[in-house]
Amino acid sequence: MNNKPLPIVHDRRELAAGDMLRVEQVELEFPNGERRTYSRMKARGLGAVIIVPMLDATTVLLAREYAAGLHHYEIGLPKGRLERGESILEAAQREMKEEIGYGARNLQELTRLSLAPAYMTHIVLARDLYPEKLEGDEPEEIEVVPWPMADLHALTAREDCTEGRTIAALYIARDYLAAEAVRVDAASRG
C-alpha cells in the first residue's frame, strides 16, 4: 500500500449535470506544493453490477441486446445499476432475472472495477442457476447466448463483443474458476 500523502482539496465546483454523471472541477495542492485544477466525472448513482452467470462449470450465459451508444446489437454479460436499499448480490440476482431469465443459488462478488471516478462496477460470479424471469426495462426480449469459457479469445475477436466491463469480468472469472479448480484438486489429493 502506498503511504504517500494525498493532495489537499481546496475547492470543488459542479460544472455540468446529466442523468447519470456530473462534471466537477477540483482544485488540488500536491504534497510538493504544486497546485492544479482538474475536471472529473462524478457519478450520481450507487454503482453497478456485472454478473458472470455460469450455466455449468464451463459455460457462461451472455445476453445479446441493443447498445444505443454503439447503435448495434452487442453480446455481453447481464449488468445494471444498483437501486437504493439494494445490496450488490440482490442487484445481481434482479438483473439476471430481468435480462437472461435466470436466478442463482450461489452468488459471489469477485472484485470491483472503476468505470468512472466514484462509480464502481462490482463483478459477481453466479452459479447453480435456475430459471426465473422478472419483468425488466428492456424494450425487447434479450437473446441469451451460451458461450464456452474456454473460448473467450473467439468471443472477444467478434465485432459484437466490445464492451470493456464484459471482457474484463469474463477473464477475471475465468482465472478465478481455474485457480479454484486447482485448489479443489489439491485438497482432494490431500
Side-chain angles (χ1 to χ4, degrees):
M1 185 113 214
N2 186 350
N3 292 326
K4 188 174 181 175
L6 293 173
I8 298 166
V9 177
H10 287 287
D11 190 29
R12 294 175 197 222
R13 287 183 294 288
E14 190 169 298
L15 298 178
D19 289 341
M20 290 180 55
L21 298 172
R22 60 184 176 199
V23 178
E24 177 182 57
Q25 192 172 62
V26 184
E27 292 182 27
L28 302 172
E29 181 180 341
F30 288 81
N32 65 0
E34 287 288 322
R35 291 179 76 131
R36 294 285 191 278
T37 301
Y38 291 97
S39 296
R40 67 181 184 180
M41 291 186 299
K42 194 164 184 187
R44 287 186 181 256
L46 303 169
V49 294
I50 187 162
I51 307 98
V52 182
M54 298 301 298
L55 181 62
D56 55 41
T58 62
T59 309
V60 63
L61 295 180
L62 303 167
R64 183 188 323 269
E65 64 182 313
Y66 178 71
L70 300 171
H71 191 56
H72 71 239
Y73 284 86
E74 184 84 0
I75 296 175
L77 292 169
K79 60 192 154 301
R81 295 194 306 183
L82 288 162
E83 294 180 359
R84 189 152 309 283
E86 188 175 51
S87 75
I88 292 160
L89 299 183
E90 289 168 340
Q93 192 76 271
R94 176 183 50 76
E95 287 295 339
M96 282 182 34
K97 291 176 183 179
E98 289 175 359
E99 292 190 11
I100 63 168
Y102 283 88
R105 292 180 190 88
N106 182 338
L107 293 166
Q108 175 183 3
E109 183 180 3
L110 297 181
T111 191
R112 5 177 238 165
L113 301 172
S114 59
L115 179 60
Y119 193 79
M120 285 291 167
T121 296
H122 302 269
I123 299 174
V124 176
L125 179 63
R127 295 187 271 193
D128 196 9
L129 304 184
Y130 58 89
E132 185 175 336
K133 181 87 173 140
L134 287 178
E135 186 69 31
D137 58 2
E138 288 76 15
E140 61 184 1
E141 189 71 27
I142 295 175
E143 179 187 349
V144 178
V145 180
W147 195 272
M149 284 292 273
D151 202 12
L152 292 185
H153 180 72
L155 178 66
T156 60
R158 293 173 59 113
E159 291 183 6
D160 61 351
C161 183
T162 63
E163 201 267 326
R165 289 175 298 170
T166 286
I167 294 166
L170 285 167
Y171 279 96
I172 289 167
R174 181 199 66 184
D175 291 352
Y176 175 85
L177 292 167
E180 181 182 72
V182 168
R183 287 190 303 271
V184 168
D185 184 52
S188 71
R189 292 178 193 213

